[in-house]
């Protein structure tokens, strides 16, 4: 999402840097790239396809459909079968894929029966155009309803140290063996600054590891749950390198408890 213009609208301000971000992520060992047709719209998928194809073995490209854009930060949910089928076909074309390994319903459309939306994705799965199906911004009850229609392998909900409203869903995913992909995992840094109630505690712990608070936030997420896979976005190569290095930051049990306590205040 960060590869395109402000509000997920329009071309990136620095297209060359956007391509460098993608290439550097793969060079550093990233094996999953999460995007969506609503980013741009269409632009992020096009950049991924143009920059990384032919894809290296083992690289998973995940994308999403079911949101339309009317302008910067303006969106509407659309879950009609015909529209979602078109979304899948166009994503395949832009990403230069014959099959999308993980296709996620970007949002459940309250105006469209879930059977229609997921039934369309299930048909595309049966045709070999989708391998796995996931959902975004859902509750356990909604996932249970979805699983009556099709197998669900991932959930993508907003979650970070600064926003833990989906603790119940995360716990449920652990019990069910479903992947949890938190979006906005470091809250874009806005809520984790020194003037935030938890900022001072996090800064002190980060300093012990010669790390940034953003790195600490990602490290906490990675150690928080075995089903957790953060998907931080950025438009800068330096931030890609910083984010990925967070995977090597190991926190003690005491530090994990201290961080969790600070984030619950």
């Amino acid at each position: 999402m960060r590869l395109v213009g402000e509000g997920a609208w329009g071309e990136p301000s620095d297209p060359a840097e956007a391509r460098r971000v993608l290439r550097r992520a793969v060079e550093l060992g990233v094996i999953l790239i999460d995007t969506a047709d609503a980013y741009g719209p269409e632009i992020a998928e096009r950049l991924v396809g143009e920059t990384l194809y032919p894809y290296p073995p083992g690289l998973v490209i995940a994308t999403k459909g079911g949101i339309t854009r009317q302008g910067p930060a303006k969106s509407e949910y659309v879950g009609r079968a015909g529209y979602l089928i078109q979304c899948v076909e166009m994503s395949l074309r832009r990403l230069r894929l014959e099959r999308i390994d993980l296709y996620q319903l970007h949002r459940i459309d309250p105006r469209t029966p879930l059977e229609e939306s997921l039934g369309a994705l299930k048909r595309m799965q049966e045709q070999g155009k989708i391998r796995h199906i996931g959902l975004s911004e859902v509750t356990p009850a909604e996932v249970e309803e979805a699983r009556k229609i099709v197998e669900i392998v991932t959930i993508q909900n907003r979650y970070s140290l600064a926003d833990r409203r989906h603790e119940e869903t995360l716990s449920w995913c652990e019990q069910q063996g479903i992947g949890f992909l938190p979006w906005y995992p470091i809250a874009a840094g806005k809520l984790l600054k020194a003037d935030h109630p938890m900022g001072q505690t996090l800064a002190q712990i980060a300093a012990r590891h010669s790390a940034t608070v953003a790195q600490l936030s990602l490290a906490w997420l990675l150690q928080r749950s075995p089903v957790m896979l953060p998907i931080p976005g950025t438009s800068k190569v330096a931030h890609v390198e910083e984010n990925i290095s967070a995977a090597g930051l190991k926190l003690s049990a005491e530090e994990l408890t201290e961080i969790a306590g600070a984030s619950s205040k």
Side-chain angles (χ1 to χ4, degrees):
M1 185 174 181
R2 300 287 177 189
L3 293 183
V4 300
E6 192 70 24
W9 184 261
E11 298 286 343
S13 57
D14 187 343
E17 179 73 355
R19 289 180 167 83
R20 285 192 290 268
V21 164
L22 289 164
R23 287 192 291 265
R24 186 61 176 146
V26 174
E27 289 172 359
L28 291 172
V30 165
I31 58 172
L32 183 142
I33 292 179
D34 179 84
T35 187
D37 64 5
Y39 301 161
E42 304 180 3
I43 294 168
E45 286 187 334
R46 174 172 53 78
L47 283 170
V48 170
E50 289 176 352
T51 305
L52 298 180
Y53 183 85
Y55 301 110
L59 181 64
V60 173
I61 306 296
T63 193
K64 301 180 285 292
I67 283 185
T68 63
R69 290 281 178 199
Q70 290 76 46
K74 296 179 181 179
S75 60
E76 185 175 343
Y77 308 160
V78 180
R80 296 190 305 273
Y83 177 71
L84 288 176
I85 290 170
Q86 175 180 295
C87 286
V88 173
E89 294 287 4
M90 296 305 293
S91 289
L92 286 166
R93 182 183 301 180
R94 286 187 293 269
L95 292 167
R96 307 184 185 193
L97 292 168
E98 294 183 1
R99 181 185 69 178
I100 296 168
D101 277 334
L102 175 61
Y103 193 87
Q104 302 152 98
L105 182 62
H106 211 152
R107 292 292 187 276
I108 291 176
D109 179 3
R111 301 168 302 180
T112 304
L114 192 58
E115 294 82 357
E116 178 179 341
S117 299
L118 290 181
L121 297 186
K122 183 178 181 180
R123 290 198 296 276
M124 301 301 279
Q125 187 179 52
E126 291 169 345
Q127 293 172 21
K129 296 180 179 181
I130 293 174
R131 183 180 182 190
H132 295 299
I133 294 172
L135 298 174
S136 182
E137 283 304 298
V138 288
T139 64
E142 289 172 325
V143 184
E144 290 284 18
E145 285 302 307
R147 291 169 89 186
K148 295 176 183 177
I149 306 164
V150 69
E151 182 182 3
I152 301 297
V153 304
T154 58
I155 302 302
Q156 187 172 137
N157 284 6
R158 180 167 172 167
Y159 184 88
S160 68
L161 272 173
D163 185 351
R164 297 174 61 184
R165 74 186 81 174
H166 289 297
E167 286 288 352
E168 178 188 355
T169 304
L170 173 58
S171 297
W172 184 85
C173 285
E174 291 174 348
Q175 296 165 10
Q176 301 294 319
I178 291 176
F180 188 90
L181 282 63
W183 61 272
Y184 215 51
I186 51 178
K190 295 176 183 177
L191 301 180
L192 301 178
K193 296 179 180 178
D195 57 354
H196 189 273
M198 74 178 85
Q200 187 173 1
T201 298
L202 298 178
Q204 291 172 349
I205 298 173
R208 297 175 203 161
H209 295 271
S210 300
T212 65
V213 171
Q215 288 174 314
L216 184 73
S217 304
L218 291 173
W220 179 83
L221 286 170
L222 288 167
Q223 293 176 240
R224 168 70 182 80
S225 169
V227 300
M228 184 85 75
L229 180 58
I231 46 172
T234 182
S235 60
K236 304 293 184 183
V237 168
H239 289 161
V240 168
E241 295 172 342
E242 177 183 326
N243 290 342
I244 292 173
S245 66
L249 198 165
K250 301 303 179 186
L251 303 169
S252 68
E254 292 76 13
E255 288 173 327
L256 291 170
T257 300
E258 188 177 359
I259 293 168
S263 68
S264 64
K265 294 178 181 178

